Amino acid sequence: MPTNFTVVPVEDAEEGGGSSGSSGSAGAAGGSKPVRLDQIFGEEDNEDNLQGEDSQKESSPFINSDDDGEPYFDGKNMALFEEEMDSHPMVSSLLNKLAIYTNLTQGVREHEEAENEDGVRRVTVVVPQMGTFIGVYLPCMQNILGVILFLRLTWIVGTAGILGSFAIVSMCCICTLLTAISMSAIATNGVVPAGGAYYMISRSLGPEFGGAVGLCFYLGTTFAGSMYILGTIEILLTYIVPTATVFKEGEDAAMLNNMRVYGTCCLVLMALVVFVGVKYVNKLALVFLACVILSIMATYAGVIKTVIAPPEFSVCLLGNRSLRNEKFETCAKTEVVKNKTFTTDLWPLFCNSKQPNATCDEYFDLNNLTEIQAIPGLLSGVIKDNLWGNYGPAGMWIEKKSQPSVPVQEISTDTNKEYVFNDITTYFTLLVGIYFPSVTGIMAGSNRSGDLRDAQRSIPIGTIMAILTTSFIYISCVVLFGACIEGVVLRDKFGYSVKKNPVIGILAWPSPWVIVIGSFFSCCGAGLQSLTGAPRLLQAIARDGIIPFLQVFGHGKANGEPTWALLLTVGICEIGILIASLDAVAPILSMFFLMCYLFVNLACAVQTLLRTPNWRPRFKFYHWTLSFLGMSLCLSLMFVSSWYYALVAMVIAGCIYKYIEYRGAVKEWGDGIRGLSLNAARYALIRLEEAPLHTKNWRPQLLVLCKLDSDLAVKHPRLLSFTTQLKAGKGLTIVCSVLEGTYMTRGNNAKTGEQNLKAAMAAERTKGFSHVVVSSNLRDGFSLLIQSAGLGGMKHNAVLMAWPVGWKQARDCSARRNFIETVRETTAAHQALLVAKNIDHFPGNQERLKQGTIDVWWIVHDGGLLMLLPFLLSQHKVWRKCKMRIFTVAQMDDNSIQMKKDLQMFLYHLRLDAVVEVVEMHDSDISAFTYEKTLVMEQRSQMLKQMQLSRTEREREAQLIHDRNTASHSATNDKAPGATPDRVHMTWTKDKLVNERNRLRESMAVKDMFNMKPEWEHLNQSNVRRMHTAVKLNEVVVKKSQNSQLVLLNMPGPPKNMKGDENYMEFLEVLMEGLDRVLLVRGGGREVITIYS
């Protein structure tokens, strides 16, 4: 049973006189929507209507129903802003939306949406909240410390020496520290969603840089996965299961092939783990990190132990050469057992038998065997021997320089394999490229920005602390390795001289297996994380839509897992594995990471220097000089590591940049490059204003006056095509149109028209700007554009428009008047004017004119624009095969031969190729045809004048007729039938005009031309002369240029006396009669072409 109730606002309870008992239900009934004042005042009239649930929405004066289209406001205090509440929300509403903002990762959000769409159940997503230590510091530590530390750092120290290694580590660590400072500034300048480095760079430098660097970062992460997998297999086959090789023929080739086979299997296995579930990878991350930390602690413990008791590992030297000791135990040629001398296991390696009298290698005979400690200890003073580098070519023996040795002339190739030697040529820059991947991983914290409790605080602190910690670890390891380990052992990359143990392993305590197992799991974990992170980065780039051909990789499983991106990542990772050398893969990923870091520094520097209002980072310890130093260091390290890899990486990034620029989606992210462009444009515009433009720098800056049809589409698209063909001068182009009305009523039409203009410009490949203005009439709109279009030094100097074709058929003279006023205003503004007749017959951008001529009729000199325009047109592929011809007119007293020579010389100095022809026009009597044309023109002008009476005049005339007819009604009746009544001059109508034209045509056809001479005598002689000139010029032009592809004519100016405006258009029509494509050209009053260089 429905319950009767009344809703009364609490604040108006006393004034409204409502029941106090019903006030408690106001909140429930009204919900969260506020009450309007007009509803409150209408309360008493509608109290009885609030019965039942069905009628509640329809009749309640207090509740805003969903069907109510009127805007509401929050209480009486905000009534002033009532009408703007939809577009300008209350501050309280805005803050409420910000308070409930959640920043979920992309995969989690998609998973939630998929569940909701199925309608099965709604998953309550709990946003992970991690602090600085767990969310940033530890992930960065895990990513920075890895395979290079365990497998290559000792070799780098032995090869480069302590000082060289210190320089390498310092450069790389300073580079990452400066990058981290720049990254911290960007990351704290607002909320950084999940996306990390790609998000920061793309939103700071724009989609082109963002896409290019994002893909470089993706490739770097993918090749990092290859490096970690190769490190895993190297540890497996060298130290854990050396017998598990598949290929055993040649030593080097077999090792590479084994790496390829096992690496591919490992890659497939890791990809399956990532595909099945990323959550298992994340759960194992802590285990992998623990392995890294335990290995480092074991290394430091081993260093401390060397002070007390050095490890019992020794190195066997033959002369001063280091030997591989996995095949023998005793470092001696012979040994005495029970007073008998026997040869050791080392003897048959250098001799042809075990017998003491066997033939042995010459170097083996001449030099003695020496056994030295592999790790003399921290206090042994070996640090002095390891200070300087020891570089060498591939195949060079690892020798202890201070050890005595007897050299030999011939080198035996059979015994070379028993020595330890360099597997690759070593030099300083190579070591930089191999070492740099060990300091990458600083983006791990920013990549998890969506999972942090306070990303703006955690990312700077966690990342910089992780870099400082790892830098201390690396630098201390460089010093401690050089101070504890013998030099020949340090240069032994794979530990062949110490029973095939990792060199860092023999230093560690309690056992080398701590390092072996720890580094193995560390490499496995890093590889899994690379295969997890790289596909998500590619998916983020694909979903941004900036690279069209990558869009397929934006799709994945229902929960957002990037399946297709994972497949591509595995394919690229396989390329790195097929290289099969960790030393060859490391410089590749160094390039991509260095390029990424370079652009992070560039982004921070650009934002800082531009001082954009939105640049307000919470991290204050940055400066643009630090960013530039970091950028310079990144660029230097790229070319120091490998100049050819650096060039390849730059070419890849450049190709991606240009592809996104031309084919990618247009994104506006408020990036710094756009701000940089604005600053550069402002600076250039100010510089252009400082000095007047020189003739050599003159180029047509076009203001194109386009006409829009009733559907707001461009009426003459070929006008834009012609504009494109004229743009060999690379000047400014502004395409404009005018709509009649007021901006308040036609604002949307103006926006639609501007969009249509942009679309037409894109279709015709016209580079420039578009603008549509709304004016009370077209005349004022054109005047406004001619005066104010452009900015500063980038203002137009020429106006291009189409010939008003229908000006004769128009009911009013507005088209004619607008055209003539435009001609006058461009002349007054010292701007050139180009008028194209039959613009729709002009060739499109896809057409190619195989032959023909562009004819220039140079009648009067107006700055040389007539000669410059054909040259600009001939630069375009449409007009390229057209020849240029220049005609000039000679009068009776001119020397036409000399004129032709002078003109040819003038064109030669102008560097223009054209055929010159001088046309002689003799003085002749004005023909009857000219008089006839003039007579028809003046009669038509007279008729048009009579038709131009305004509406007010017509009404006044009608009233006058009515008054006269009423006043003289009786007098008119008394008049004789033959008397002529008072004649009233009637306004011309369209029917009367047509009848008069037909009457004139008939009379003209009947009369003989000679009988019209009395009428000719009353013609305006100035008009007759002008018509004579137009007719004679037209005869000559048609005779010479009727078949040319384009005719350029000097455009005569309108008469200074505005009474002759109606005849001006007729003269131009006669001048262009019989020609298809005509361009009337009127110069702007300044020279635009010069003979000087």
Side-chain angles (χ1 to χ4, degrees), residues 208 248 259 295 362 380 523 624 650 761 853 870 876 978 1003:
E208 292 87 1
K248 301 182 183 295
M259 295 282 282
S295 301
E362 184 181 1
S380 63
C523 291
W624 66 268
M650 287 182 170
M761 290 172 67
T853 59
H876 196 273
S1003 62

Side-chain angles (χ1 to χ4, degrees), residues 924-935:
S924 61
D925 295 332
I926 300 174
S927 64
F929 176 73
T930 302
Y931 279 111
E932 180 189 344
K933 295 281 287 186
T934 310
L935 178 64

Side-chain angles (χ1 to χ4, degrees), residues 198-214:
Y198 162 70
Y199 182 90
M200 288 188 290
I201 294 172
S202 61
R203 269 57 177 182
S204 297
L205 293 179
E208 292 87 1
F209 279 108
V213 180

Side-chain angles (χ1 to χ4, degrees), residues 875-940:
Q875 304 303 304
H876 196 273
K877 50 193 174 183
V878 173
W879 305 89
R880 190 164 291 158
K881 295 186 178 180
C882 293
K883 304 298 181 183
M884 179 178 169
R885 295 193 302 178
I886 294 184
F887 297 88
T888 188
V889 177
Q891 302 298 325
M892 282 294 295
D893 54 349
D894 293 328
N895 186 344
S896 57
I897 298 176
Q898 188 62 37
M899 280 181 65
K900 185 173 182 178
K901 289 182 179 179
D902 293 342
L903 183 54
Q904 287 174 338
M905 182 58 65
F906 182 56
L907 291 176
Y908 175 78
H909 287 305
L910 289 176
R911 290 91 62 200
L912 294 175
D913 296 325
V915 177
V916 176
E917 188 169 341
V918 178
V919 178
E920 295 181 351
M921 286 185 64
H922 303 288
D923 289 339
S924 61
D925 295 332
I926 300 174
S927 64
F929 176 73
T930 302
Y931 279 111
E932 180 189 344
K933 295 281 287 186
T934 310
L935 178 64
V936 173
M937 177 186 73
E938 291 196 352
Q939 287 175 343
R940 182 181 179 281

Side-chain angles (χ1 to χ4, degrees), residues 268-284:
V268 172
L269 186 63
M270 287 185 176
L272 287 175
V273 172
V274 172
F275 179 78
V276 169
V278 183
K279 58 183 180 180
Y280 302 112
V281 178
N282 293 331
K283 288 179 180 178
L284 290 172

